[in-house]
Amino acid sequence: MAKRPQLTGRAAILAIVVCAIAMSLAYPVREYISLRRSIASLQAEKARVEAEKQALLERDRQTDDPNWRKKIAKERLFYCGAGEKCYVVMEREPVKEQAATPRPAEAPPWYQTLWESVRAADEGTGRRAVTGKGAPAGKDAVTRKEAVPEKAGE
């Protein structure tokens, strides 16, 4: 008896058709899922905006109340109604220690610092930047750990 092959022509054609259907449905399904996510995020944003709108409408309705206006005028603008005694509490004079606190010296403008560094380099009084191991910094040195004076022999 001859053995039948496991993969017949019909099975191969069926496998190709199933793969073609799966390939043709992959992109639309991916787009569908992407659009559903987009719709969900837009609905969440819409709900947030609606809640903000309702809060603003409530605040707008509140401004129409004359009692609310008086209350806010007293709180924020320190208004005093007719026949009312209003007091304003002032802070004490600043303590002399606080007034005598020295201010940190302001940094000079960038162009002054640049010009001083150019002049120092021209006169040879500048400092050479070094890397972590103590070797002079080259063109590709990025960090400047400390500055040491330039030696005459270098």
Side-chain angles (χ1 to χ4, degrees):
M1 266 197 205
K3 243 183 166 184
R4 274 179 81 185
Q6 289 184 348
L7 184 65
T8 63
R10 287 183 184 175
I13 291 174
L14 180 63
I16 291 173
V17 169
V18 168
C19 287
I21 291 173
M23 297 286 276
S24 66
L25 290 178
Y27 181 75
V29 169
R30 188 178 70 194
E31 284 297 313
Y32 174 78
I33 293 170
S34 171
L35 289 174
R36 294 301 297 170
R37 286 184 189 147
S38 176
I39 289 170
S41 68
L42 289 173
Q43 286 174 341
E45 184 178 352
K46 179 184 175 188
R48 182 188 56 80
V49 169
E50 286 293 327
E52 185 178 341
K53 176 185 169 188
Q54 291 301 321
L56 289 173
L57 287 174
E58 179 61 33
R59 185 174 167 195
D60 186 46
R61 276 187 235 114
Q62 194 177 31
T63 58
D64 292 336
D65 183 18
N67 293 327
W68 183 84
R69 288 184 196 161
K70 288 178 185 177
K71 177 183 156 195
I72 293 299
K74 286 181 181 181
E75 288 176 2
R76 294 186 185 171
L77 304 174
F78 305 109
Y79 279 13
C80 190
E84 294 179 352
K85 288 187 179 182
C86 296
Y87 299 97
V88 177
V89 179
M90 305 295 290
E91 292 184 21
R92 292 183 180 175
E93 293 291 324
V95 181
K96 292 184 179 182
E97 294 176 22
Q98 292 177 351
T101 307
R103 292 184 181 174
E106 292 183 17
W110 66 270
Y111 51 85
Q112 182 179 354
T113 307
L114 177 66
W115 182 248
E116 289 172 0
S117 68
V118 169
R119 189 177 329 139
D122 193 32
E123 294 170 357
T125 59
R127 297 174 179 230
R128 179 178 287 174
V130 294
T131 58
K133 295 184 178 179
K139 292 180 181 177
D140 58 347
V142 176
T143 60
R144 180 179 174 183
K145 299 265 182 175
E146 63 182 78
V148 294
E150 224 178 275
K151 295 182 181 175
E154 291 183 359

